[in-house]
Amino acid sequence: AGGAEDWGSRAWLTWQPSYRSALVMAEQPPPKRSRHAAGGAEDWESFRSSHTQGRFTDWLQLQAGEVWDAVVSHPFTDQLADGTVDHDAMRRYLIQDHRFVDAFVVLLSSAVSKMRCLGDRIPGCQFLAVVTGKENTYFERSFEALGVVPLDRASLPEEEVTTSFIRLMRASAASGELPRMLAVLVVAEWSYSSWGERVLPRAKPSLPFWCREWIDLHSGTAFAGVVEYLRSLLDKEGPSLSPSARSSCCEAFLEAVHLEKAFFDMALGVALAK
């Protein structure tokens, strides 16, 4: 669908059989939220006992509850798919988003360095090449199309949510804790894949490229492979964590989810303030 082939020509699905089979498993519906879990009160051991097929990342998502849903169904993503997003909102969103690309690269490369084997590292390196290559090119072309000059990118004040995101990414990288790094990465990619897949069916090819390509970059089978790769790594790490390490991982996950929602809210604030 859309730009799926741009993500390494499906390398995510072909180079590593274990992630390919895991992707099939990921297509199964996640555990339903119980009233207990929806409030974030169910601990990992209780979840594991009541959801024999449940994954550690499923548990983390359940802890986020309605905030996760608010990210995936945010009006900003609907406006992207409809082509009705305010140009000022899109400019602000892209400028602020591009501000933490460097911190994201530091986080991803730090996670790669802490992974357990070459087989785990290779997809991370491939994804790193995409973030610093084709995705970064999208930003540059979009800035030009939307009339964002270098002075705008340099002079626009950094939003509080942007600063918080950068701080979270750099602190997670500096922690040296692979589960904490993966938690932030999983939120970034899984939440975007979730909203991308949701809006993709109604996103018309005639949309401005800075809307359509952003949706394409975050949907399709190949990007689902990126998400599954990151989730699978965290699923391997999570169950064996000590209670304190698990708490640290969960805190990073929840902070990242709240920041994703705040970031979309920030972008729409430009249009709503007019």
Side-chain angles (χ1 to χ4, degrees), residues 200-259:
L200 181 63
R202 72 171 193 265
K204 298 179 180 179
S206 59
L207 286 172
F209 81 85
W210 37 267
C211 290
R212 178 71 208 206
E213 287 188 23
W214 197 237
I215 295 169
D216 287 346
L217 281 167
H218 298 100
S219 59
T221 304
F223 187 61
V226 177
V227 174
E228 182 54 33
Y229 157 69
L230 294 170
R231 287 188 63 192
S232 294
L233 290 175
L234 187 50
D235 287 335
K236 287 192 296 185
E237 298 289 332
S240 61
L241 293 174
S242 68
S244 61
R246 188 178 304 127
S247 177
S248 175
C249 178
C250 186
E251 287 174 3
F253 187 96
L254 294 178
E255 182 178 355
V257 174
H258 279 82
L259 288 174

Side-chain angles (χ1 to χ4, degrees), residues 51-66:
H51 301 84
T52 57
Q53 300 300 315
R55 304 168 60 173
F56 184 71
T57 49
D58 288 332
W59 174 73
L60 289 173
Q61 184 198 52
L62 290 176
Q63 303 310 297
E66 294 179 356

Side-chain angles (χ1 to χ4, degrees), residues 107 110-111 114 171-183 237 241 244-249 252:
L107 175 61
S110 297
K114 292 294 183 178
S172 298
S175 74
E177 300 172 12
L178 179 59
R180 185 176 179 86
M181 297 181 216
L182 288 171
E237 298 289 332
L241 293 174
S244 61
R246 188 178 304 127
S247 177
S248 175
C249 178

Side-chain angles (χ1 to χ4, degrees), residues 32-79:
K32 292 182 178 179
R33 287 186 184 147
S34 65
R35 182 167 57 88
H36 187 54
E42 188 174 37
D43 62 28
W44 164 244
E45 296 301 336
S46 299
F47 174 85
R48 184 160 59 174
S49 297
S50 59
H51 301 84
T52 57
Q53 300 300 315
R55 304 168 60 173
F56 184 71
T57 49
D58 288 332
W59 174 73
L60 289 173
Q61 184 198 52
L62 290 176
Q63 303 310 297
E66 294 179 356
V67 184
W68 179 275
D69 296 337
V71 174
V72 174
S73 61
H74 200 280
F76 183 83
T77 64
D78 291 318
Q79 292 177 22

